[in-house]
Amino acid sequence: MVRYVMLITYTEVGASQIQNTTRRAQMFQSAAEQMGVRVETLLWTLGEYDAIAVVRADDEDVPIALSAYLARQGYVRARMLRALTEEEFARVLSKMPGAPIELDG
């Protein structure tokens, strides 16, 4: 399974129709489910980003397709960050040349 953090910002159209945001969020979650993406977390934020979502899928391409689908709607833009658990990241690091990774303590 792959996990992505989506950093979401409103477009001008999305901001002008902010009153529909929670309804669009429900539509996003429904579309994600139909595509085989599990929305683990969806939060609205204050600051540089307007919302964040944490999504998981079996196929790495599907969350990217979901992001493209969102962009096509015209209300938000999303930056995608591949997210790894500690175990997943340790597996990646174990593929580095050199000595094996040793955990402190």
Side-chain angles (χ1 to χ4, degrees):
M1 281 224 148
V2 295
R3 180 180 292 111
Y4 281 92
V5 175
M6 301 174 77
L7 304 174
I8 301 165
T9 55
Y10 295 123
T11 62
E12 286 187 35
V13 172
S16 72
Q17 297 180 25
I18 198 166
Q19 71 277 6
N20 298 321
T21 296
T22 55
R23 184 177 56 80
R24 284 196 304 268
Q26 292 169 356
M27 293 168 56
F28 160 70
Q29 291 183 60
S30 177
E33 185 178 317
Q34 289 175 10
M35 294 175 73
V37 177
R38 179 171 178 245
V39 179
E40 291 184 342
T41 305
L42 179 59
L43 300 168
W44 283 263
T45 58
L46 303 175
E48 185 175 350
Y49 298 98
D50 299 306
I52 62 164
V54 178
V55 299
R56 288 183 69 168
D58 290 328
D59 179 347
E60 188 158 4
D61 294 343
V62 180
I64 297 167
L66 177 63
S67 179
Y69 170 77
L70 278 179
R72 185 174 70 182
Q73 303 309 304
Y75 300 107
V76 298
R77 298 283 181 256
R79 291 179 178 228
M80 302 285 286
L81 303 173
R82 177 72 164 86
L84 304 163
T85 64
E86 180 179 355
E87 180 181 311
E88 291 166 336
F89 196 60
R91 187 176 63 244
V92 169
L93 294 177
S94 73
K95 297 176 188 220
M96 291 173 38
I101 299 169
E102 294 183 25
L103 299 177
D104 294 337

